[in-house]
Amino acid sequence: MSDQKHDSTTHFGYQEVPVEDKARRVADVFHSVAAKYDIMNDLMSGGIHRLWKRLTIEQSGVRRGHRVLDIAGGTGDLTLRFSRLVGPEGEVVLADINDSMLKVGRDKLLDHGATGNIEFVQANAECLPFPDNHFDVITIAFGLRNVTDKDAALRSMTRVLKPGGKVMVLEFSKTDNPALTKLYDFYSFNILPQMGRIIANDAESYRYLAESIRMHPDQETLKQMMETAGLVNCKYQNLTGGIVALHTGIKP
């Protein structure tokens, strides 16, 4: 199942736009929000995004000497932790399609003194510029829903993963609790854009982010997409009532 509705259009939030326009529109969103991305993440999630990311790190199995790819790594939250885990003999690649986000991430990691084993690569998840069977672990946190062709991205991740390696997708998902869904919808479409307006001077970008979450495949659909891409032992863990899910799959 691809998220493209038919050959020439795809979803940008709730809008239907030409396929070739989506990457540019998503880029505009992240150029706009890059400078305030970290503070908005803390405000939007009440800091809970840090717990979701910590769980991802704990379940990654990353250890000294590993080679890790952090796709849509943005401002480097996961990359920073992975850099410490893999040590000087390991390597972490922070990849993001958006150069504004990469610059913010690079500056932040420099401030933490953590760039010795980190490489920064501007890359599209749909066609990753790395060799086959290259990485021990690949993560994409809150980035897959912004990719135009998610199936192509999952295939690309599988290609560059070593046999026995793990793909981890941390992403907003679907809650099956009606009361929580109602509360979450109110927050996403009323409070979130206003926070974006006040903090980042950009309500529209945060309205898009809320819409993109609703258009993202549910847990079972994403699990099937990962299996179709060639991953096995695919499973997911719901976090915070299913508002977020952590999907994992192994390359056979």
Side-chain angles (χ1 to χ4, degrees):
M1 172 184 166
S2 174
D3 63 322
Q4 292 182 18
K5 288 192 71 180
H6 40 77
D7 288 343
S8 57
T9 65
T10 188
H11 296 293
F12 176 76
Y14 288 166
Q15 298 177 55
E16 201 172 308
V17 299
V19 165
E20 60 272 17
D21 280 4
K22 177 162 179 175
R24 177 186 57 78
R25 288 176 179 238
V26 170
D28 288 345
V29 167
F30 284 94
H31 286 313
S32 173
V33 304
K36 298 289 176 108
Y37 189 77
D38 282 339
I39 190 169
M40 279 299 294
N41 270 355
D42 280 333
L43 288 168
M44 285 189 303
S45 70
I48 299 172
H49 77 101
R50 296 178 184 275
L51 299 177
W52 297 331
K53 289 171 182 170
R54 188 180 303 155
L55 182 77
T56 304
I57 298 286
E58 288 169 358
Q59 296 197 6
S60 69
V62 166
R63 56 185 186 272
R64 289 186 80 79
H66 269 179
R67 189 181 280 145
V68 179
L69 173 61
D70 182 16
I71 301 174
T75 57
D77 283 350
L78 290 177
T79 293
L80 178 61
R81 292 176 177 86
F82 284 137
S83 168
R84 291 166 177 163
L85 286 172
V86 303
E89 58 270 55
E91 180 191 16
V92 184
V93 176
L94 191 165
D96 203 294
I97 197 170
N98 188 282
D99 61 323
S100 296
M101 294 292 284
L102 272 179
K103 287 186 184 107
V104 172
R106 189 185 292 115
D107 289 347
K108 180 172 153 186
L109 291 164
L110 276 169
D111 288 345
H112 282 86
T115 55
N117 59 359
I118 299 170
E119 185 181 354
F120 299 89
V121 177
Q122 188 170 357
N124 185 335
E126 296 172 23
C127 44
L128 293 166
F130 306 109
D132 295 357
N133 310 314
H134 193 65
F135 293 99
D136 297 284
V137 174
I138 298 174
T139 58
I140 180 165
F142 307 112
L144 187 61
R145 72 181 189 280
N146 296 310
V147 174
T148 305
D149 189 338
K150 297 172 181 58
D151 296 299
L154 290 167
R155 287 194 302 271
S156 189
M157 289 180 221
T158 303
R159 179 185 65 77
V160 302
L161 188 66
K162 290 179 182 177
K166 182 185 289 187
V167 167
M168 309 184 79
V169 181
L170 181 67
E171 187 55 270
F172 290 105
S173 202
K174 305 288 190 287
T175 170
D176 59 5
N177 179 321
L180 183 59
T181 300
K182 195 170 180 182
L183 183 67
Y184 183 43
D185 282 348
F186 177 81
Y187 170 78
S188 297
F189 292 104
N190 294 278
I191 298 171
L192 186 56
Q194 290 308 312
M195 285 168 59
R197 181 178 61 79
I198 294 162
I199 306 296
N201 196 29
D202 185 351
E204 281 306 306
S205 289
Y206 284 92
R207 188 169 292 111
Y208 158 72
L209 292 176
E211 291 176 1
S212 71
I213 290 166
R214 299 313 185 281
M215 300 305 295
H216 187 67
D218 64 20
Q219 288 91 325
E220 284 295 330
T221 304
L222 181 52
K223 180 184 171 196
Q224 289 165 15
M225 289 165 70
M226 291 174 73
E227 289 168 347
T228 301
L231 298 165
V232 298
N233 297 344
C234 296
K235 55 191 176 187
Y236 60 86
Q237 179 178 353
N238 284 335
L239 310 174
T240 317
I243 286 175
V244 164
L246 174 60
H247 283 73
T248 57
I250 307 294
K251 180 169 177 173

